[in-house]
Amino acid sequence: MIIQEPIQAAIWHCLNHYAYSDAIFLAERLCAEFDSDESIFLLATCYYRSGKPSQAYTILSGKKIVSEKCKFLLARCCVDLHKLSEAETVLTGNVGDLISSSSCSSFIETIISDYGDSAPFALQLISHIWWRSERSHLAAEACRKALYLNPFLWQSFQDLCDRGVKPDPEPTKIFKVDNLENFNKCLGSNSHVNSTPLSTYNLSYESVNTFNSTPAQKMVNMSVPSSNSSISSGIQPFTPDMNNAKAIFVRPIGRKVKVINENAYSPLTPSFGVFPLENSDNLSVCSSQSMVLVPSATLNETNDQKFISKRSSKPVFSQSGNTSNISNLGTQQITMPSSPMSHVVRRSSRIITNNCSVKENTKSPNKKFASPKSATRKIKSGLVPKKSVFADITEKHPKERGVVEVETLTLAQQALNLQKKTTEGLLSLLRDIGIAYLQLSKFNCKKAIQLFQSLPPRQYKTGFVLSMIGKAYCEQSDYLQSIKYFSEVKEHEPYRDTLMELYSTSLWHQQKEVALSALAQHMTALDRNSSSTWCVVGNCFSLQKEHQTAIKYFQRAIQVNPDFPYAYALLGNEYLVTEELEKAITCFQKAVKLDPRHYKSWYGIGAIYQKQERYELAEMHYKRALRINHSSALIMCHIAVVQNSMDKPDQALHTLHIALTLEPKHPMCKYQRAQIYSKLGKLPEALYELEELKEIVPKESLVYFLTGKVHKKLGNIHLALMNFNRATDLDPKGASNQIKEAIDPTNNQSPLDDSDDP
């Protein structure tokens, strides 16, 4: 019979080192011996982590699973395989269709009760299913509860913002440590940072040397193992009884100790995760060792870690020659190396009291008590003491018992304060990013840009923040600035493919063929299984007027990710260019079904109706897009064009006035206003708009063509011919026919600008 736990440990060890085939092989051996939920879960996890969700689904669905972690993994596989109905059934039982707004709260409480520490992730998964099945009110409630339990779930916050649902409460209250009920929901019950009770944190810190930093710039960071969550691992690690935890200090043997002043933070210090202890002047850190709380009970069980020390304001590391003062150490304790027999601390280590300075082989008349004689005896390997070290000391010196208990309480309190401050630092950063992202989701782009740019320098220079700023400029139609920021993203994080489709769109608008071609080559070399890659390639061919090839690559992007609205929108635009209007409107409708707030698709549907001269429907869909992106001057311009086509010039001028208030130099809005002025006979106003427009777009042939028409109406034939000639020079093919019609006195109809904005 195979013992189960060592095999499980071996499997997780293979998974943690990405040896998936070995992990699968061992998991299959385990399943042959133990047909249990634990072994089935482990085998399915091996397949899922190796990128084979279909095999994991087959394993789990073929068994009668009971454990919640098996159900969660099965639901995850169903979502990946687009079996949303089955995923909902797995998570909710058979009551998914019966859940309403009134019963949603009780259902969520059931999920929390059943899934324990994994409840936030289960709620996030069920919210994804409800978003897709158009039950927005239920999905929003699940997202809010998931964030309440675990504010580190950024995707839930992002889903609320992207769907136009107001986060409740505001980001300033969501990302706040005081609102956390239990850290277990954030860090897992088996994490090194526990929260029940809060006074028994087992913290792990290690000294991290930053790049090119001096010893005085080393920092203390939290270390949380990644393989100890209740879902990811079936092995319960050794967890000491923290209720009996005692403060254990170990002098590192053969290691040089660095002393860091809490105020000596360098510019490289991160904006969160490092906080000085309260009432502490200096912080001693062993440069190559970790520091943890160690329970006294473990000292009875392991003969390899026999050590003890107490807080002191006197020098501690006297043997190593370090006499630096160390006060109020708080939770800084140093763990022995992971190797069992690497450094055995002898019991001859002196006990440090508040009034004594410890130096070996030095007698001091001020010592309260002498070291136990038994401490100098050699400890034979393989022998385990019958009593803990602390028990031995307190029995011989009862007066010290109260000192140890008080110090333990102080250490636990300082550990709690440090843990809270560290978490608050991260949540403060998430709060700032969340406020900026919320403004961007509301299309308050200028405010969002200011908020993102006010982030700490280290965070500002990350690909995520720079891409958000690039997206904001793209939404404002400021494509040059968008290209600038996306190029920085590509320089700093060449592996990032998120939002590269927007980068390619900005390059498309600026007609930068070389840069777009280079981006397409980079993306295909990076990841051919990314839908963003094929959107970039499609835009590259679209810019070269190879529309059929572009359509093929946009279809491939949809094939890679059928849930990507932007790919449908790009495909619809290509069909619009090739006059395949039925196919175009189908693509736009699929996009808005996936994302009801995808305003570009609503705009595309309006453009189709405008081409079909169904102006009422066109105006309705344009206004639907404008309700989503209320600051888009481009959408307002198209609404004005439609209103002018319906013989509503006054409404059109009012709409253009609002658009130009938002973007005073928007060229298309100024051109349309000049055209309406010309139609109404307000020729001086039209000439004024056109002269300003020449400064904004000096090489646009339509501007000179319209200027020539206005001069012709005013009787300035020589000025009209001069502008017509300039228009012909700029666009010999496009403008020649229109100029002939404008010069022909029998043709009094003004040409209509039917050009589509890309």
Side-chain angles (χ1 to χ4, degrees), residues 404-605:
V404 171
E405 292 177 355
V406 171
E407 289 176 353
T408 303
L409 179 61
T410 304
L411 291 171
Q413 185 61 39
Q414 289 190 353
L416 174 62
N417 292 338
L418 181 62
Q419 200 276 344
K420 281 188 174 181
K421 287 183 177 181
T422 304
T423 305
E424 179 61 32
L426 176 57
L427 290 178
S428 176
L429 175 64
L430 294 180
R431 184 162 57 245
D432 293 340
I433 297 176
I435 293 172
Y437 190 86
L438 180 60
Q439 294 300 321
L440 180 58
S441 68
K442 293 179 179 180
F443 297 99
N444 297 328
C445 297
K446 293 181 180 179
K447 188 173 182 180
I449 291 171
Q450 293 175 354
L451 291 171
F452 278 122
Q453 290 177 338
S454 66
L455 291 173
R458 284 192 172 194
Q459 297 297 326
Y460 172 74
K461 286 296 183 181
T462 59
F464 173 80
V465 175
L466 293 174
S467 62
M468 289 298 106
I469 298 175
K471 178 182 178 181
Y473 278 116
C474 186
E475 300 292 359
Q476 290 182 309
S477 300
D478 191 347
Y479 300 115
L480 287 176
Q481 285 295 319
S482 179
I483 290 171
K484 172 188 172 183
Y485 281 94
F486 276 121
S487 62
E488 288 188 39
V489 173
K490 186 171 176 288
E491 178 182 355
H492 286 88
E493 299 180 6
Y495 54 85
R496 178 175 289 271
D497 65 341
T498 308
L499 296 183
M500 287 297 105
E501 65 277 2
L502 291 184
Y503 183 21
S504 67
T505 298
S506 298
L507 293 172
W508 190 97
H509 280 281
Q510 292 298 313
Q511 306 290 300
K512 296 185 178 293
E513 293 187 13
V514 176
L516 184 52
S517 178
L519 179 62
Q521 292 179 1
H522 169 75
M523 292 296 294
T524 51
L526 178 66
D527 187 2
R528 299 178 69 89
N529 293 321
S530 170
S531 56
S532 296
T533 296
W534 302 116
C535 287
V536 172
V537 176
N539 273 336
C540 182
F541 282 101
S542 176
L543 183 58
Q544 298 171 7
K545 308 299 182 183
E546 299 182 28
H547 299 296
Q548 293 302 322
T549 306
I551 287 172
K552 182 182 71 174
Y553 284 112
F554 290 141
Q555 289 173 338
R556 184 173 296 181
I558 294 171
Q559 185 179 7
V560 171
N561 184 6
D563 300 332
F564 192 30
Y566 197 74
Y568 287 100
L570 291 175
L571 180 59
N573 283 330
E574 289 303 307
Y575 281 133
L576 188 59
V577 172
T578 58
E579 301 292 335
E580 299 178 76
L581 301 185
E582 292 299 325
K583 291 182 179 179
I585 200 169
T586 301
C587 291
F588 289 133
Q589 288 172 346
K590 286 183 179 178
V592 297
K593 185 177 181 180
L594 289 170
D595 182 7
R597 296 186 76 244
H598 199 266
Y599 75 93
K600 293 181 180 179
S601 296
W602 291 112
Y603 166 81
I605 296 173

Side-chain angles (χ1 to χ4, degrees), residues 584-723:
I585 200 169
T586 301
C587 291
F588 289 133
Q589 288 172 346
K590 286 183 179 178
V592 297
K593 185 177 181 180
L594 289 170
D595 182 7
R597 296 186 76 244
H598 199 266
Y599 75 93
K600 293 181 180 179
S601 296
W602 291 112
Y603 166 81
I605 296 173
I608 292 173
Y609 286 130
Q610 183 180 353
K611 276 184 172 292
Q612 295 174 342
E613 297 184 1
R614 301 164 70 179
Y615 298 121
E616 291 82 3
L617 288 174
E619 183 182 14
M620 182 183 72
H621 284 85
Y622 282 145
K623 288 184 176 180
R624 178 69 181 270
L626 187 63
R627 283 199 298 270
I628 300 170
N629 186 357
H630 54 84
S631 60
S632 175
L634 177 63
I635 298 176
M636 293 182 188
C637 182
H638 279 273
I639 293 174
V641 171
V642 171
Q643 290 171 340
N644 185 40
S645 300
M646 293 188 296
D647 294 328
K648 299 177 182 178
D650 294 334
Q651 291 185 17
L653 287 174
H654 177 69
T655 303
L656 290 171
H657 175 73
I658 297 174
L660 288 170
T661 301
L662 294 173
E663 295 187 36
K665 294 185 178 182
H666 196 281
M668 191 173 178
C669 290
K670 295 186 75 67
Y671 177 79
Q672 293 297 334
R673 186 158 72 174
Q675 198 171 45
I676 294 174
Y677 281 146
S678 176
K679 181 179 178 180
L680 294 176
K682 299 180 179 180
L683 302 181
E685 290 87 345
L687 281 177
Y688 178 79
E689 292 287 346
L690 291 169
E691 291 301 324
E692 285 191 346
L693 199 55
K694 287 179 181 179
E695 297 179 1
I696 300 172
V697 282
K699 296 183 179 181
E700 180 57 55
S701 63
L702 292 175
V703 174
Y704 292 95
F705 172 67
L706 183 57
T707 305
K709 289 185 61 179
V710 172
H711 280 298
K712 180 176 179 292
K713 289 182 179 180
L714 290 172
N716 302 327
I717 303 300
H718 63 290
L719 292 176
L721 290 174
M722 183 179 67
N723 282 278

Side-chain angles (χ1 to χ4, degrees), residues 723-754:
N723 282 278
F724 286 150
N725 289 333
R726 178 61 175 162
T728 304
D729 293 338
L730 293 172
D731 187 9
K733 297 181 180 179
S736 58
N737 293 331
Q738 292 182 341
I739 292 172
K740 290 178 181 178
E741 293 176 358
I743 295 176
D744 186 0
T746 61
N747 181 17
N748 296 323
Q749 182 181 2
S750 62
L752 182 65
D753 175 31
D754 288 332

Side-chain angles (χ1 to χ4, degrees), residues 286-403:
C286 175
S287 62
S288 60
Q289 309 241 3
S290 301
M291 297 171 283
V292 297
L293 279 171
V294 181
S296 60
T298 61
L299 300 180
N300 290 332
E301 300 173 4
T302 57
N303 62 341
D304 303 322
Q305 298 181 354
K306 305 176 180 64
F307 42 79
I308 181 171
S309 179
K310 290 171 57 180
R311 294 171 54 209
S312 173
S313 60
K314 301 293 183 179
V316 177
F317 304 109
S318 57
Q319 283 186 344
S320 63
N322 188 345
T323 59
S324 301
N325 291 332
I326 301 174
S327 62
N328 297 331
L329 285 175
T331 59
Q332 291 94 35
Q333 294 104 39
I334 302 175
T335 295
M336 298 301 295
S338 58
S339 176
M341 298 298 295
S342 56
H343 295 296
V344 178
V345 179
R346 314 180 83 181
R347 294 186 60 186
S348 58
S349 299
R350 295 296 188 262
I351 301 169
I352 304 171
T353 64
N354 292 329
N355 298 321
C356 72
S357 175
V358 177
K359 291 186 178 180
E360 289 194 4
N361 303 323
T362 303
K363 296 181 180 180
S364 174
N366 297 327
K367 289 191 292 185
K368 290 187 176 180
F369 56 88
S371 301
K373 294 181 180 180
S374 60
T376 60
R377 293 178 299 177
K378 294 183 179 180
I379 299 176
K380 297 180 181 180
S381 60
L383 296 180
V384 180
K386 294 182 179 180
K387 297 181 180 180
S388 68
V389 179
F390 266 101
D392 186 33
I393 294 171
T394 54
E395 284 180 5
K396 295 184 179 181
H397 307 279
K399 295 181 180 180
E400 299 298 321
R401 187 191 308 273
V403 176

